[in-house]
């Protein structure tokens, strides 16, 4: 994308010796230190292409977790059982009428979301994202009908979270 055609090549600007942008490889399990006591852990995602999620360490408040694109994922829930989760942003791309497609494409539908959330103890704020266009109302109606201890809502455009 940063190839000088689609977008300026910031890996070479303002100069190759002092670029504005550098890339650094990371892998599941890596902990990225952002300074000021802010750390992000790279967590597992189960998707059709290589993907990861992130757990932002919010200190005493707990972690803010973004799963990225993922289907059912035992490694994710194992790691989340080991940390304090304050907020979970998780995808639910398809409605239950398309659970087969969700499974093939390694996404979640309300039924598989329910099974995954059973693996997360407590009462966590869960925010649903990555809903396919035109399916938001149906997906969220099905998600709201799930029997769970978690507080579930749709992630909204421009929604902000404070980790204090």
């Amino acid at each position: 994308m940063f190839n000088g055609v689609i977008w300026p090549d910031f890996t070479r600007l303002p100069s190759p010796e002092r670029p504005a942008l550098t890339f650094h490889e990371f892998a599941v399990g890596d902990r990225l230190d952002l300074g000021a006591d802010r750390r992000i852990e790279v967590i597992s995602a189960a998707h059709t292409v290589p993907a990861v999620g992130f757990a932002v360490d919010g200190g005493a408040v707990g972690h803010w977790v973004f799963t990225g694109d993922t289907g059912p994922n035992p490694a994710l829930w194992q790691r989340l059982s080991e940390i304090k989760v304050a907020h979970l942003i998780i995808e639910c791309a398809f409605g239950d009428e398309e659970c087969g497609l969700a499974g093939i494409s390694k996404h979640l539908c309300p039924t598989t979301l329910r099974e995954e959330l059973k693996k997360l103890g407590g009462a966590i704020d869960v925010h649903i994202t990555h809903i396919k266009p035109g399916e938001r109302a149906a997906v969220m109606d099905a998600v709201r009908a799930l029997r769970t201890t978690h507080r579930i809502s749709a992630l909204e455009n421009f929604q902000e979270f404070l980790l204090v």
Side-chain angles (χ1 to χ4, degrees):
M1 175 179 254
F2 296 107
N3 61 8
V5 176
I6 295 173
W7 199 258
D9 186 352
F10 290 112
T11 65
R12 302 187 55 75
L13 295 172
S15 71
E17 298 78 27
R18 296 185 53 106
L21 177 67
T22 60
F23 295 103
H24 302 273
E25 196 171 307
F26 56 79
V28 170
D30 286 355
R31 289 179 174 86
L32 313 173
D33 186 356
L34 303 179
D37 292 327
R38 292 289 183 203
R39 287 170 298 286
I40 298 176
E41 180 178 345
V42 183
I43 58 176
S44 171
H47 196 46
T48 55
V49 296
V52 297
F54 298 97
V56 178
D57 186 346
V61 172
H63 288 74
W64 173 92
V65 176
F66 173 70
T67 66
D69 284 0
T70 191
N73 183 359
L76 169 70
W77 302 105
Q78 174 59 45
R79 181 62 185 127
L80 296 187
S81 73
E82 299 166 354
I83 62 175
K84 180 181 177 185
V85 178
H87 290 271
L88 173 65
I89 297 177
I90 189 167
E91 67 125 281
C92 188
F94 295 97
D96 278 336
E97 63 282 348
E98 294 183 302
C99 261
L101 180 56
I104 291 168
S105 60
K106 293 194 177 180
H107 287 285
L108 298 173
C109 64
T111 297
T112 52
L113 174 66
R114 178 187 66 229
E115 295 308 308
E116 295 296 280
L117 288 177
K118 286 180 181 178
K119 301 169 187 170
L120 184 62
I124 306 300
D125 290 317
V126 176
H127 311 278
I128 305 301
T129 189
H130 199 53
I131 302 170
K132 295 300 177 196
E135 297 194 25
R136 181 182 167 104
V139 167
M140 287 311 301
D141 285 347
V143 166
R144 280 190 282 276
L146 299 178
R147 294 172 104 49
T148 180
T149 59
H150 304 299
R151 298 172 297 275
I152 303 178
S153 62
L155 185 66
E156 301 295 339
N157 289 339
F158 308 108
Q159 188 171 352
E160 295 181 9
F161 296 88
L162 296 176
L163 292 175
V164 290

